[in-house]
Amino acid sequence: MVEIIFLTPFVTGIIAFFLPRAIGRQLLVGTGGIHLVLSLLLWKNRPEAFFSNYFAVTPEGLLSLLVISLLFFLISIYTVAYLKESEIQTENIFTGFMLLFLSTMTMVTLSDHIMVFWIAIEATTIASAPLIYTHRSSASLEATWKYVLICSVGIAMALLGSVFITLAMGIGNVDVPLSFSALTTVAETLDPMWLKVGFVLILVGYGTKMGLAPMHTWLPDAHSEAPSPASALLSGVLLNCAYLGIFKTNKIMYAAGLGDFSGAILIIFGLMSIVAAATFILKQKEYKRMLAYSSIENMGIIAFGTGIGGIAAYGAVICMIHHSLIKSSLFLSSGNILLGYGNRMIQNTGDLVSRMPKTFVAFFTGFAGISGFPPFGIFIGELFIIVGAFRTGHYITAGIFILTLGVIFAGFANQVMKISFDDFNKSDSNTIIQIKEKASLVWPQYILLLTSLILCFFMPDTLYQTIIDAVAAIGGGLK
Amino acid sequence: MILNPVDTILSLVLLSVLFSFGSSQLPGLIMVVGFQGIVASIVPLFIGHDMTAGGMIFTFVTLLIRGIIIPMSIYTVIKKVAIRREVEPIIGYHASILCGLGLIVAATYVSRQLNIPSISSYTLLFPTAIALLISGMFLLMARRNAIAMVLGYIIMENGIYLVGSTFSARARHIVEFGILLDVLAGVMIMAIILQNIKQTFDDVDTALLRTLKE
């Protein structure tokens, strides 16, 4: 039964609200472990869903699910150590909503019905809003307000888009279940005009949640104000979930022969996001906001690659997987930096290399990975995207793409150098690092980065085949 | 042209849009939202001829949530925070009413052009749905009061529900119920945030929420 995989964290999440701290923490890790085992079983057996009208196991869903599962398990181990170091008063609420968040995101990856998918995405907003407000400060309140309002309104647009797709079915006299997979098979009979309108609205709607510019304004605030484990989840997997909605709708568009239309729009939004990220990263003063803008950049890269199609679509999926692995490790490391220096500003940090050497290794390696250095996966993904862009004759857009990536690298590198090697003597009051680098505060990052590294040299056949299956539906592949 | 009962109710909704644009009193705005919610939940019953027991129960639950629970939850918030009058809006009330008039004309014109076959017998249905949708977005952009913004979001959701219900009963009730629960939970979360904003900043003026920016 497929549904059990999102029902388990739902139930444990509800229970966690009523548990004392110590047991709640164990429950968090335990559920993470069970979830990972269930995901692996699902990957291996690929069973039919019990409510097959609403849920289905799809290749793109499986990819996201496995990433979610692995990330959550590692993040939950980190969270336990993080919670011991930081002072969060309402810890049971935090752990409870972490688990509910996991449940809703899992539901997103398994949803096949258009409206159920929407329900799941909106549920992620509701489950993650309390996580952002964990610190109960006025800034985190503002971030939560922006997050809930902007995302709810954005996702409402996606609901309207989904409604218009049902209209496209009505006009085309199509009578199939309202699921992504059924619609893809009958895409040619759908009314093209309303399908296009629906796609644009869905792109704007889920694009808001994915962090595509110009709807990204909530993202840096939410990511910087949330506690680091929650930021890692938001950036590492929530954005992927929203992308899944765009990906699935794009599949219908491609099957309907409207792939050029949807591709062009994806390219525009993708480039806008990369350029927006570049302008803000250059003069960024807070390191968590800098990482958030880097997420916007990477979402832009993924949208751009999907829009170009072919080998670039394959590259986009590679980028998606590796971005999740590397970015979540970076956010976890940023949590250590925040615990250590007690400050979010870049100017109040420095000399990370000698003060927190283990965190430095994770942070700096993550930086190299996210900037597209070989041998990390983002390098391969971006390379495929650039090759794909040139092959399909997108010379100008590819030029902008490469140039902007260069600018972002320069900005990012500048800030990371300051954090890592600058003298740390500006704030005399607390020059002593406040935490010890325990194993569980650094090993999750190491494992995430190591996974990314290993996947570059050795990709299991089943993983490779699943990616190929996923992108084949939008005309992608390694040809 | 003879108006059928559905169109008669919908014309009242269109009028309520104008009222919501001109009103500076929050309780009045909440009444409008509740009225629109009730209409949005009843209208599908007339169109889909869905007079089964399940359909009736679903309509009743929708009405309860959209027409009563959601508006009441916001009303409780304004009672708690004791703010009845809106803060100075970004776009003035008279200008807003003018925008509203333009919006209704535009919505009617656009729906004529689209000519959707399944609902052609209900002249005002699509224009009303579009007008609700856009007026909700308008309130989101033109008001600085956080409560008015949340109400704008609810109006927008009502509009989308009206659009959705017009295109046949394709989605099952269970799915629609899921959507409804999501919206309800979203509004509840917003209500909690509103109370916290009031406690932290002693006002619900979103101009105060400007510390996080580049």
Side-chain angles (χ1 to χ4, degrees), chain B residues 42-68:
Chain B
I42 293 178
V43 164
L45 197 66
F46 288 101
I47 294 170
H49 304 289
D50 192 14
M51 290 290 185
T52 58
M56 294 296 279
I57 293 171
F58 175 72
T59 310
F60 181 71
V61 174
T62 314
L63 191 141
L64 201 68
I65 294 180
R66 278 190 192 273
I68 295 166

PDB file of all heavy atoms in Angstrom, chain B residues 42-68:
ATOM      1  N   ILE B  42     -23.743  27.853  -2.869  1.00  0.00           N
ATOM      2  CA  ILE B  42     -25.085  27.418  -3.280  1.00  0.00           C
ATOM      3  C   ILE B  42     -25.201  27.275  -4.791  1.00  0.00           C
ATOM      4  O   ILE B  42     -25.812  26.319  -5.290  1.00  0.00           O
ATOM      5  CB  ILE B  42     -26.149  28.411  -2.767  1.00  0.00           C
ATOM      6  CG1 ILE B  42     -26.214  28.347  -1.255  1.00  0.00           C
ATOM      7  CG2 ILE B  42     -27.515  28.081  -3.337  1.00  0.00           C
ATOM      8  CD1 ILE B  42     -27.198  29.309  -0.660  1.00  0.00           C
ATOM      9  N   VAL B  43     -24.599  28.216  -5.521  1.00  0.00           N
ATOM     10  CA  VAL B  43     -24.782  28.252  -6.978  1.00  0.00           C
ATOM     11  C   VAL B  43     -24.527  26.911  -7.675  1.00  0.00           C
ATOM     12  O   VAL B  43     -25.326  26.498  -8.518  1.00  0.00           O
ATOM     13  CB  VAL B  43     -23.930  29.388  -7.587  1.00  0.00           C
ATOM     14  CG1 VAL B  43     -23.783  29.237  -9.081  1.00  0.00           C
ATOM     15  CG2 VAL B  43     -24.563  30.722  -7.261  1.00  0.00           C
ATOM     16  N   PRO B  44     -23.441  26.188  -7.331  1.00  0.00           N
ATOM     17  CA  PRO B  44     -23.206  24.917  -8.030  1.00  0.00           C
ATOM     18  C   PRO B  44     -24.380  23.948  -7.921  1.00  0.00           C
ATOM     19  O   PRO B  44     -24.625  23.143  -8.817  1.00  0.00           O
ATOM     20  CB  PRO B  44     -21.984  24.341  -7.314  1.00  0.00           C
ATOM     21  CG  PRO B  44     -21.316  25.495  -6.741  1.00  0.00           C
ATOM     22  CD  PRO B  44     -22.361  26.483  -6.395  1.00  0.00           C
ATOM     23  N   LEU B  45     -25.137  24.040  -6.842  1.00  0.00           N
ATOM     24  CA  LEU B  45     -26.278  23.149  -6.644  1.00  0.00           C
ATOM     25  C   LEU B  45     -27.302  23.354  -7.752  1.00  0.00           C
ATOM     26  O   LEU B  45     -27.902  22.401  -8.258  1.00  0.00           O
ATOM     27  CB  LEU B  45     -26.898  23.451  -5.281  1.00  0.00           C
ATOM     28  CG  LEU B  45     -27.820  22.402  -4.693  1.00  0.00           C
ATOM     29  CD1 LEU B  45     -27.023  21.161  -4.379  1.00  0.00           C
ATOM     30  CD2 LEU B  45     -28.457  22.935  -3.432  1.00  0.00           C
ATOM     31  N   PHE B  46     -27.501  24.611  -8.168  1.00  0.00           N
ATOM     32  CA  PHE B  46     -28.470  24.907  -9.213  1.00  0.00           C
ATOM     33  C   PHE B  46     -27.956  24.493 -10.584  1.00  0.00           C
ATOM     34  O   PHE B  46     -28.722  24.117 -11.457  1.00  0.00           O
ATOM     35  CB  PHE B  46     -28.780  26.399  -9.231  1.00  0.00           C
ATOM     36  CG  PHE B  46     -29.598  26.847  -8.061  1.00  0.00           C
ATOM     37  CD1 PHE B  46     -28.995  27.474  -6.984  1.00  0.00           C
ATOM     38  CD2 PHE B  46     -30.963  26.622  -8.036  1.00  0.00           C
ATOM     39  CE1 PHE B  46     -29.742  27.877  -5.902  1.00  0.00           C
ATOM     40  CE2 PHE B  46     -31.722  27.029  -6.950  1.00  0.00           C
ATOM     41  CZ  PHE B  46     -31.113  27.653  -5.883  1.00  0.00           C
ATOM     42  N   ILE B  47     -26.644  24.603 -10.754  1.00  0.00           N
ATOM     43  CA  ILE B  47     -26.108  24.368 -12.097  1.00  0.00           C
ATOM     44  C   ILE B  47     -25.913  22.888 -12.379  1.00  0.00           C
ATOM     45  O   ILE B  47     -26.285  22.397 -13.433  1.00  0.00           O
ATOM     46  CB  ILE B  47     -24.773  25.124 -12.257  1.00  0.00           C
ATOM     47  CG1 ILE B  47     -25.076  26.610 -12.206  1.00  0.00           C
ATOM     48  CG2 ILE B  47     -24.097  24.771 -13.556  1.00  0.00           C
ATOM     49  CD1 ILE B  47     -23.878  27.469 -12.110  1.00  0.00           C
ATOM     50  N   GLY B  48     -25.325  22.203 -11.408  1.00  0.00           N
ATOM     51  CA  GLY B  48     -25.007  20.799 -11.665  1.00  0.00           C
ATOM     52  C   GLY B  48     -26.201  19.869 -11.551  1.00  0.00           C
ATOM     53  O   GLY B  48     -26.120  18.695 -11.895  1.00  0.00           O
ATOM     54  N   HIS B  49     -27.352  20.359 -11.094  1.00  0.00           N
ATOM     55  CA  HIS B  49     -28.532  19.532 -10.826  1.00  0.00           C
ATOM     56  C   HIS B  49     -28.135  18.357  -9.948  1.00  0.00           C
ATOM     57  O   HIS B  49     -28.592  17.255 -10.132  1.00  0.00           O
ATOM     58  CB  HIS B  49     -29.171  19.021 -12.128  1.00  0.00           C
ATOM     59  CG  HIS B  49     -29.506  20.137 -13.033  1.00  0.00           C
ATOM     60  ND1 HIS B  49     -30.521  21.014 -12.769  1.00  0.00           N
ATOM     61  CD2 HIS B  49     -28.950  20.545 -14.196  1.00  0.00           C
ATOM     62  CE1 HIS B  49     -30.581  21.916 -13.741  1.00  0.00           C
ATOM     63  NE2 HIS B  49     -29.638  21.657 -14.605  1.00  0.00           N
ATOM     64  N   ASP B  50     -27.263  18.657  -8.996  1.00  0.00           N
ATOM     65  CA  ASP B  50     -26.710  17.603  -8.169  1.00  0.00           C
ATOM     66  C   ASP B  50     -27.550  17.474  -6.913  1.00  0.00           C
ATOM     67  O   ASP B  50     -27.148  17.843  -5.834  1.00  0.00           O
ATOM     68  CB  ASP B  50     -25.260  17.959  -7.830  1.00  0.00           C
ATOM     69  CG  ASP B  50     -24.530  16.789  -7.217  1.00  0.00           C
ATOM     70  OD1 ASP B  50     -25.066  15.667  -7.302  1.00  0.00           O
ATOM     71  OD2 ASP B  50     -23.448  16.999  -6.668  1.00  0.00           O
ATOM     72  N   MET B  51     -28.774  16.982  -7.066  1.00  0.00           N
ATOM     73  CA  MET B  51     -29.698  16.983  -5.936  1.00  0.00           C
ATOM     74  C   MET B  51     -29.643  15.680  -5.134  1.00  0.00           C
ATOM     75  O   MET B  51     -30.582  15.333  -4.442  1.00  0.00           O
ATOM     76  CB  MET B  51     -31.131  17.226  -6.414  1.00  0.00           C
ATOM     77  CG  MET B  51     -31.361  18.625  -6.913  1.00  0.00           C
ATOM     78  SD  MET B  51     -31.314  19.837  -5.586  1.00  0.00           S
ATOM     79  CE  MET B  51     -31.763  21.323  -6.478  1.00  0.00           C
ATOM     80  N   THR B  52     -28.548  14.939  -5.250  1.00  0.00           N
ATOM     81  CA  THR B  52     -28.438  13.715  -4.458  1.00  0.00           C
ATOM     82  C   THR B  52     -28.171  14.063  -2.995  1.00  0.00           C
ATOM     83  O   THR B  52     -27.820  15.201  -2.680  1.00  0.00           O
ATOM     84  CB  THR B  52     -27.267  12.856  -4.962  1.00  0.00           C
ATOM     85  OG1 THR B  52     -26.094  13.659  -4.880  1.00  0.00           O
ATOM     86  CG2 THR B  52     -27.481  12.413  -6.389  1.00  0.00           C
ATOM     87  N   ALA B  53     -28.348  13.063  -2.137  1.00  0.00           N
ATOM     88  CA  ALA B  53     -28.137  13.306  -0.711  1.00  0.00           C
ATOM     89  C   ALA B  53     -26.705  13.742  -0.451  1.00  0.00           C
ATOM     90  O   ALA B  53     -26.455  14.708   0.280  1.00  0.00           O
ATOM     91  CB  ALA B  53     -28.464  12.039   0.080  1.00  0.00           C
ATOM     92  N   GLY B  54     -25.774  13.031  -1.089  1.00  0.00           N
ATOM     93  CA  GLY B  54     -24.369  13.386  -0.892  1.00  0.00           C
ATOM     94  C   GLY B  54     -24.092  14.810  -1.326  1.00  0.00           C
ATOM     95  O   GLY B  54     -23.395  15.563  -0.646  1.00  0.00           O
ATOM     96  N   GLY B  55     -24.656  15.179  -2.468  1.00  0.00           N
ATOM     97  CA  GLY B  55     -24.462  16.527  -2.990  1.00  0.00           C
ATOM     98  C   GLY B  55     -24.998  17.574  -2.047  1.00  0.00           C
ATOM     99  O   GLY B  55     -24.372  18.617  -1.820  1.00  0.00           O
ATOM    100  N   MET B  56     -26.174  17.281  -1.484  1.00  0.00           N
ATOM    101  CA  MET B  56     -26.782  18.242  -0.557  1.00  0.00           C
ATOM    102  C   MET B  56     -25.910  18.427   0.684  1.00  0.00           C
ATOM    103  O   MET B  56     -25.657  19.554   1.114  1.00  0.00           O
ATOM    104  CB  MET B  56     -28.169  17.746  -0.118  1.00  0.00           C
ATOM    105  CG  MET B  56     -29.183  17.685  -1.227  1.00  0.00           C
ATOM    106  SD  MET B  56     -29.561  19.302  -1.902  1.00  0.00           S
ATOM    107  CE  MET B  56     -30.729  19.867  -0.691  1.00  0.00           C
ATOM    108  N   ILE B  57     -25.451  17.294   1.211  1.00  0.00           N
ATOM    109  CA  ILE B  57     -24.625  17.382   2.422  1.00  0.00           C
ATOM    110  C   ILE B  57     -23.358  18.174   2.123  1.00  0.00           C
ATOM    111  O   ILE B  57     -22.965  19.067   2.876  1.00  0.00           O
ATOM    112  CB  ILE B  57     -24.258  15.970   2.946  1.00  0.00           C
ATOM    113  CG1 ILE B  57     -25.511  15.259   3.429  1.00  0.00           C
ATOM    114  CG2 ILE B  57     -23.216  16.052   4.053  1.00  0.00           C
ATOM    115  CD1 ILE B  57     -25.305  13.809   3.755  1.00  0.00           C
ATOM    116  N   PHE B  58     -22.756  17.857   0.966  1.00  0.00           N
ATOM    117  CA  PHE B  58     -21.520  18.554   0.611  1.00  0.00           C
ATOM    118  C   PHE B  58     -21.774  20.061   0.498  1.00  0.00           C
ATOM    119  O   PHE B  58     -20.999  20.869   1.010  1.00  0.00           O
ATOM    120  CB  PHE B  58     -20.970  18.013  -0.704  1.00  0.00           C
ATOM    121  CG  PHE B  58     -19.777  18.769  -1.170  1.00  0.00           C
ATOM    122  CD1 PHE B  58     -18.562  18.627  -0.513  1.00  0.00           C
ATOM    123  CD2 PHE B  58     -19.863  19.659  -2.226  1.00  0.00           C
ATOM    124  CE1 PHE B  58     -17.468  19.350  -0.911  1.00  0.00           C
ATOM    125  CE2 PHE B  58     -18.766  20.382  -2.623  1.00  0.00           C
ATOM    126  CZ  PHE B  58     -17.564  20.224  -1.966  1.00  0.00           C
ATOM    127  N   THR B  59     -22.885  20.429  -0.171  1.00  0.00           N
ATOM    128  CA  THR B  59     -23.207  21.844  -0.305  1.00  0.00           C
ATOM    129  C   THR B  59     -23.376  22.492   1.061  1.00  0.00           C
ATOM    130  O   THR B  59     -22.895  23.604   1.300  1.00  0.00           O
ATOM    131  CB  THR B  59     -24.506  22.023  -1.108  1.00  0.00           C
ATOM    132  OG1 THR B  59     -24.406  21.265  -2.301  1.00  0.00           O
ATOM    133  CG2 THR B  59     -24.740  23.469  -1.440  1.00  0.00           C
ATOM    134  N   PHE B  60     -24.030  21.757   1.951  1.00  0.00           N
ATOM    135  CA  PHE B  60     -24.260  22.296   3.287  1.00  0.00           C
ATOM    136  C   PHE B  60     -22.937  22.534   4.015  1.00  0.00           C
ATOM    137  O   PHE B  60     -22.724  23.598   4.611  1.00  0.00           O
ATOM    138  CB  PHE B  60     -25.150  21.332   4.077  1.00  0.00           C
ATOM    139  CG  PHE B  60     -25.454  21.820   5.451  1.00  0.00           C
ATOM    140  CD1 PHE B  60     -26.310  22.890   5.639  1.00  0.00           C
ATOM    141  CD2 PHE B  60     -24.865  21.224   6.553  1.00  0.00           C
ATOM    142  CE1 PHE B  60     -26.578  23.359   6.911  1.00  0.00           C
ATOM    143  CE2 PHE B  60     -25.132  21.690   7.821  1.00  0.00           C
ATOM    144  CZ  PHE B  60     -25.989  22.763   8.001  1.00  0.00           C
ATOM    145  N   VAL B  61     -22.038  21.542   3.915  1.00  0.00           N
ATOM    146  CA  VAL B  61     -20.743  21.687   4.594  1.00  0.00           C
ATOM    147  C   VAL B  61     -19.956  22.849   4.000  1.00  0.00           C
ATOM    148  O   VAL B  61     -19.374  23.672   4.720  1.00  0.00           O
ATOM    149  CB  VAL B  61     -19.931  20.373   4.501  1.00  0.00           C
ATOM    150  CG1 VAL B  61     -18.538  20.568   5.060  1.00  0.00           C
ATOM    151  CG2 VAL B  61     -20.634  19.265   5.244  1.00  0.00           C
ATOM    152  N   THR B  62     -19.967  22.942   2.671  1.00  0.00           N
ATOM    153  CA  THR B  62     -19.273  24.047   2.012  1.00  0.00           C
ATOM    154  C   THR B  62     -19.812  25.372   2.505  1.00  0.00           C
ATOM    155  O   THR B  62     -19.054  26.304   2.820  1.00  0.00           O
ATOM    156  CB  THR B  62     -19.467  23.968   0.487  1.00  0.00           C
ATOM    157  OG1 THR B  62     -19.236  22.644   0.065  1.00  0.00           O
ATOM    158  CG2 THR B  62     -18.517  24.893  -0.230  1.00  0.00           C
ATOM    159  N   LEU B  63     -21.143  25.444   2.572  1.00  0.00           N
ATOM    160  CA  LEU B  63     -21.776  26.681   3.002  1.00  0.00           C
ATOM    161  C   LEU B  63     -21.362  27.024   4.420  1.00  0.00           C
ATOM    162  O   LEU B  63     -21.048  28.172   4.736  1.00  0.00           O
ATOM    163  CB  LEU B  63     -23.294  26.502   2.908  1.00  0.00           C
ATOM    164  CG  LEU B  63     -24.148  27.747   3.052  1.00  0.00           C
ATOM    165  CD1 LEU B  63     -25.307  27.650   2.076  1.00  0.00           C
ATOM    166  CD2 LEU B  63     -24.674  27.891   4.442  1.00  0.00           C
ATOM    167  N   LEU B  64     -21.328  25.986   5.245  1.00  0.00           N
ATOM    168  CA  LEU B  64     -20.955  26.196   6.641  1.00  0.00           C
ATOM    169  C   LEU B  64     -19.535  26.768   6.731  1.00  0.00           C
ATOM    170  O   LEU B  64     -19.287  27.739   7.456  1.00  0.00           O
ATOM    171  CB  LEU B  64     -21.019  24.855   7.373  1.00  0.00           C
ATOM    172  CG  LEU B  64     -21.160  24.901   8.881  1.00  0.00           C
ATOM    173  CD1 LEU B  64     -22.523  25.439   9.255  1.00  0.00           C
ATOM    174  CD2 LEU B  64     -20.946  23.519   9.452  1.00  0.00           C
ATOM    175  N   ILE B  65     -18.624  26.171   5.957  1.00  0.00           N
ATOM    176  CA  ILE B  65     -17.231  26.601   6.056  1.00  0.00           C
ATOM    177  C   ILE B  65     -17.013  27.945   5.366  1.00  0.00           C
ATOM    178  O   ILE B  65     -16.482  28.886   5.946  1.00  0.00           O
ATOM    179  CB  ILE B  65     -16.294  25.524   5.475  1.00  0.00           C
ATOM    180  CG1 ILE B  65     -16.359  24.267   6.345  1.00  0.00           C
ATOM    181  CG2 ILE B  65     -14.867  26.032   5.422  1.00  0.00           C
ATOM    182  CD1 ILE B  65     -15.495  23.143   5.885  1.00  0.00           C
ATOM    183  N   ARG B  66     -17.466  28.047   4.102  1.00  0.00           N
ATOM    184  CA  ARG B  66     -17.198  29.272   3.344  1.00  0.00           C
ATOM    185  C   ARG B  66     -18.017  30.456   3.831  1.00  0.00           C
ATOM    186  O   ARG B  66     -17.554  31.596   3.826  1.00  0.00           O
ATOM    187  CB  ARG B  66     -17.501  29.045   1.863  1.00  0.00           C
ATOM    188  CG  ARG B  66     -16.379  28.367   1.168  1.00  0.00           C
ATOM    189  CD  ARG B  66     -16.572  28.367  -0.340  1.00  0.00           C
ATOM    190  NE  ARG B  66     -15.617  27.457  -0.899  1.00  0.00           N
ATOM    191  CZ  ARG B  66     -14.372  27.809  -1.225  1.00  0.00           C
ATOM    192  NH1 ARG B  66     -13.990  29.049  -1.096  1.00  0.00           N
ATOM    193  NH2 ARG B  66     -13.545  26.923  -1.696  1.00  0.00           N
ATOM    194  N   GLY B  67     -19.265  30.169   4.204  1.00  0.00           N
ATOM    195  CA  GLY B  67     -20.163  31.266   4.535  1.00  0.00           C
ATOM    196  C   GLY B  67     -20.117  31.661   5.998  1.00  0.00           C
ATOM    197  O   GLY B  67     -20.411  32.801   6.340  1.00  0.00           O
ATOM    198  N   ILE B  68     -19.772  30.725   6.870  1.00  0.00           N
ATOM    199  CA  ILE B  68     -19.873  31.044   8.288  1.00  0.00           C
ATOM    200  C   ILE B  68     -18.535  30.908   9.020  1.00  0.00           C
ATOM    201  O   ILE B  68     -18.043  31.872   9.604  1.00  0.00           O
ATOM    202  CB  ILE B  68     -20.946  30.148   8.967  1.00  0.00           C
ATOM    203  CG1 ILE B  68     -22.312  30.506   8.361  1.00  0.00           C
ATOM    204  CG2 ILE B  68     -20.960  30.383  10.466  1.00  0.00           C
ATOM    205  CD1 ILE B  68     -23.405  29.534   8.638  1.00  0.00           C
TER     206      ILE B  68
END
